Amino acid sequence: MTIIPKTCKAALLVEYGKPLEIHEVPIPRVEPRGILVKVEMAGICGTDIHQRNGTLTIKAPLPNIQGHETIGRIVALGEGRTMDVAEAPLKIGDRIMWAHTDCGECYYCEVARLQVHCSQRKGYGFASPVALRGGFAEYEYISPLTKVVRVPDELSEEEAVGVGCAFRSVVAGYERLGGINLQETVVVQGSGPIGLYSTVMAREGGAGKIIVIGAPTGRLELAKKWGADEVINIEAVPDPARRKEMVMALTNGRGPDLVIEGSGVPAAFNEGLDMIGKGGRYLVLGQSSAKTVEMQPGILNGKGLTLVGSISAAIQHFYKALQFIKNKRTKYPFADIVSRKYQLEEINEAFTNMAAGKDIKPVIDNRNR
């Protein structure tokens, strides 16, 4: 029998712009249909950096426990919780992932079927330490209304952890876009997790040519392994005008049919608009910063563009992303997205390296705690 402690260590965001602090926090009592997990691995996202700095569009009350992309191993199952969303039985010891909590009753949940816009959505990685709803901790509590999905036994934590944010967001974005048109030319802005998963989805979706714009070299090398035909290193080519010339040369002077923004850099938005071809589509996935940029709305009309914005995802996108990795894991090195593993006490070093672009996907690895 697993002995569950009364408290656990967690990294708290106490003040915006300051290092996270390690504190002991209480472990909540498990309610009916609630789940307590031991955090096995928690990914660090670019959104976490914005949140720590206070530049995220969401401003959660302080202090809070960050971490919204987590794999947890079940240590306690509340009465009535017997299976995941795919009707797979759940038991102590299973690894699971979970979406933010939607109410299932509001207009956006029931009529629009856009759970990500739920009027009463409660997110993980933004809550009070008392709730223990963040991955940067030794344990995490999954509330009764939260939908979960079991991680396939075939997958390692390294292969699956990116589903917790980037990959499920890409799956949801492609769904809103309507998928890739056969043999269309695709430019992916950004070679971080959003960009990399966008690349492999475009390759498997039938794209004709995929061009990835990003940096540093290590990320671009992984982009090639995940399906990119051409890469443009922004460190070697810092001028956006020159990058556009290169893209035009690679697309017969017409520009790409589809641009996917996955960089999270506000200035990238106008660069994408400028290079996209007439009648093209622009899928914006990476923008979570509160910073603003000026744009020329007439470009949308003049080129006849379709602009698609997408944020976050619902539990069905977690399931589809995990199944995609399970089915394609022998073709692509999905585990390579994890560039370095840190202990919970090293979280501020991990944040620093993530912000500096030294890591693709740094993770907090609790498996040996």
Side-chain angles (χ1 to χ4, degrees):
M1 178 181 292
T2 301
I3 299 175
I4 300 172
K6 293 183 178 179
T7 65
C8 70
K9 287 185 171 62
L12 304 189
L13 174 59
V14 176
E15 184 178 351
Y16 289 123
K18 300 293 184 179
L20 304 187
E21 300 178 9
I22 305 295
H23 288 260
E24 286 284 335
V25 299
I27 293 177
R29 178 180 62 85
V30 178
E31 308 160 273
R33 292 191 58 80
I35 305 174
L36 182 67
V37 300
K38 179 184 179 293
V39 173
E40 295 285 281
M41 186 173 284
I44 297 173
C45 174
T47 299
D48 293 316
I49 307 301
H50 290 306
Q51 183 181 350
R52 191 274 311 270
N53 293 342
T55 57
L56 191 65
T57 51
I58 300 171
K59 283 289 181 68
L62 297 176
N64 59 59
I65 303 176
Q66 294 182 256
H68 57 274
E69 46 183 273
T70 314
I71 298 173
R73 192 174 296 276
I74 298 173
V75 296
L77 268 174
E79 182 182 358
R81 180 81 79 148
T82 59
M83 60 182 62
D84 75 354
V85 292
E87 300 181 326
L90 292 177
K91 64 182 185 302
I92 303 298
D94 284 344
R95 297 174 303 160
I96 59 170
M97 303 183 82
W98 51 93
H100 298 307
T101 306
D102 310 316
C103 72
E105 298 178 348
C106 70
Y107 172 87
Y108 290 104
C109 285
E110 292 298 283
V111 179
R113 295 292 181 181
L114 295 171
Q115 298 101 318
V116 296
H117 298 295
C118 171
S119 302
Q120 302 177 58
R121 183 171 243 215
K122 294 181 180 179
Y124 285 84
F126 301 94
S128 161
V130 175
L132 199 61
R133 289 169 58 97
F136 300 154
E138 294 177 307
Y139 289 82
E140 187 165 2
Y141 183 62
I142 316 304
S143 60
L145 289 178
T146 301
K147 296 182 174 97
V148 307
V149 62
R150 190 175 181 276
V151 177
D153 292 335
E154 297 90 337
L155 302 188
S156 67
E157 282 81 6
E158 289 83 356
E159 289 173 305
V161 70
V163 170
C165 183
F167 199 8
R168 47 89 161 164
S169 296
V170 170
V171 171
Y174 272 60
E175 187 177 276
R176 284 185 58 77
L177 179 72
I180 300 292
N181 293 325
L182 187 63
Q183 291 300 297
E184 71 180 342
T185 300
V186 180
V187 164
V188 177
Q189 295 176 284
S191 53
I194 289 281
L196 290 168
Y197 286 120
S198 295
T199 299
V200 73
M201 284 282 287
R203 174 53 61 214
E204 290 297 315
K209 178 179 288 185
I210 303 170
I211 305 162
V212 175
I213 303 174
T217 301
R219 297 187 182 198
L220 295 175
E221 290 174 351
L222 187 54
K224 289 181 179 179
K225 293 178 181 178
W226 284 21
D229 298 294
E230 305 283 349
V231 296
I232 298 174
N233 191 326
I234 61 174
E235 293 176 344
V237 189
D239 181 16
R242 175 58 186 147
R243 293 198 290 266
K244 180 185 176 182
E245 288 177 3
M246 295 173 70
V247 169
M248 298 302 283
L250 291 168
T251 57
N252 298 313
R254 292 189 293 268
D257 304 299
L258 170 65
V259 174
I260 302 170
E261 188 286 310
S263 70
V265 179
F269 178 77
N270 279 328
E271 183 175 345
L273 276 182
D274 188 40
M275 72 172 63
I276 192 169
K278 295 176 182 178
R281 299 180 294 166
Y282 196 9
L283 176 60
V284 181
L285 296 176
Q287 297 297 322
S288 60
S289 170
K291 294 181 180 179
T292 61
V293 293
E294 291 186 0
M295 67 165 289
Q296 182 184 343
I299 292 177
L300 296 173
N301 298 73
K303 291 186 178 182
L305 304 182
T306 299
L307 178 62
V308 179
S310 185
I311 186 170
S312 194
I315 194 65
Q316 65 267 30
H317 305 117
F318 283 76
Y319 174 79
K320 291 176 182 178
L322 287 168
Q323 292 303 308
F324 183 98
I325 293 174
K326 176 183 172 182
N327 293 331
K328 303 292 181 181
R329 64 191 299 265
T330 59
K331 187 175 181 181
Y332 301 101
F334 289 111
D336 288 359
I337 198 167
V338 175
S339 47
R340 186 172 170 185
K341 301 165 193 172
Y342 297 83
Q343 294 298 300
L344 183 62
E345 292 78 7
E346 299 172 316
I347 193 164
N348 289 305
E349 179 186 356
F351 267 49
T352 297
N353 290 338
M354 178 69 170
K358 294 181 179 179
D359 285 323
I360 303 174
K361 173 57 64 182
V363 298
I364 302 302
D365 187 354
N366 283 345
R367 289 174 292 185
N368 294 322
R369 294 183 78 90

